[in-house]
């Protein structure tokens, strides 16, 4: 009987934490900056599963952002390149938001030597990667 109770409690804890993790990621997509910060977080933690839901759900994003979102299934070499480039990334300035589209400027790469602009699109209450 104790075994059944402990097993049930364990299942409830796992279900609750996965539900709360999903909710946390949704709230982290409430602004364009939060989505770009998730790229840096994924690189720093090497948790590439963070990236899989960041692409435009309508599939209108470019190849670069698609590859970022599918990083979990990419080669180890490409994952290491992502970590090297994005782990020290930093947003520069304020986002430019026009309706359901946004641009976020950031620096990344070796010693933040590369400047880039991430384009995002909003669907509902969440922002998604579109292109860079």
């Amino acid at each position: 009987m104790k075994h059944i109770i402990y097993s049930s409690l364990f299942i409830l804890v796992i279900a609750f934490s996965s539900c709360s993790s999903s909710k946390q990621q949704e709230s982290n997509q409430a602004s364009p900056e939060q989505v770009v910060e998730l790229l840096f977080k994924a690189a720093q933690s090497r948790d590439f599963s963070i990236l899989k839901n960041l692409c435009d759900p309508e599939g209108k994003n470019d190849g670069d952002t698609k590859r970022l979102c599918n990083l979990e299934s990419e080669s180890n070499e490409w994952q290491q390149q992502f970590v090297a480039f994005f782990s020290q990334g930093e947003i520069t300035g304020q986002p430019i938001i026009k309706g359901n589209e946004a641009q976020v400027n950031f620096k990344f790469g070796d010693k933040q030597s590369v400047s880039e602009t991430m384009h995002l699109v909003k669907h509902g209450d969440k922002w998604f990667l579109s292109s860079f």
Side-chain angles (χ1 to χ4, degrees):
M1 182 67 170
K2 283 183 182 179
H3 179 69
I4 293 172
I5 292 171
Y6 289 129
S7 295
S8 298
L9 284 173
F10 179 74
I11 290 169
L12 285 172
V13 168
I14 296 298
F16 177 74
S17 63
S18 99
C19 187
S20 114
S21 167
S22 172
K23 294 268 187 213
Q24 184 178 13
Q25 182 165 339
E26 282 182 26
S27 67
N28 286 342
Q29 286 180 254
S31 74
E33 306 99 293
Q34 289 175 334
V35 176
V36 175
E37 288 290 345
L38 284 171
L39 292 173
F40 306 149
K41 179 181 177 184
Q44 293 160 359
S45 67
R46 298 175 190 265
D47 180 2
F48 308 127
S49 67
I50 293 171
L51 304 171
K52 64 185 169 190
N53 295 316
L54 297 183
C55 276
D56 181 354
E58 293 183 2
K60 296 180 181 175
N61 47 314
D62 71 356
D64 291 334
T65 55
K66 283 181 185 177
R67 194 163 188 193
L68 289 175
C69 294
N70 294 320
L71 189 64
E72 210 172 11
S73 62
E74 290 284 347
S75 70
N76 186 50
E77 180 182 343
W78 206 87
Q79 291 174 352
Q80 295 309 316
Q81 288 177 356
F82 170 79
V83 169
F85 272 85
F86 283 88
S87 63
Q88 299 300 313
E90 181 177 277
I91 292 174
T92 56
Q94 295 297 313
I96 300 167
I97 301 173
K98 293 181 181 176
N100 288 336
E101 296 181 356
Q103 296 177 11
V104 176
N105 295 318
F106 66 100
K107 289 188 176 192
F108 71 131
D110 185 35
K111 299 179 184 173
Q112 298 178 337
S113 59
V114 180
S115 294
E116 186 63 76
T117 301
M118 184 65 70
H119 298 265
L120 299 99
V121 63
K122 187 176 185 181
H123 294 289
D125 294 336
K126 294 169 60 174
W127 288 93
F128 298 92
L129 302 175
S130 179
S131 67
F132 83 103

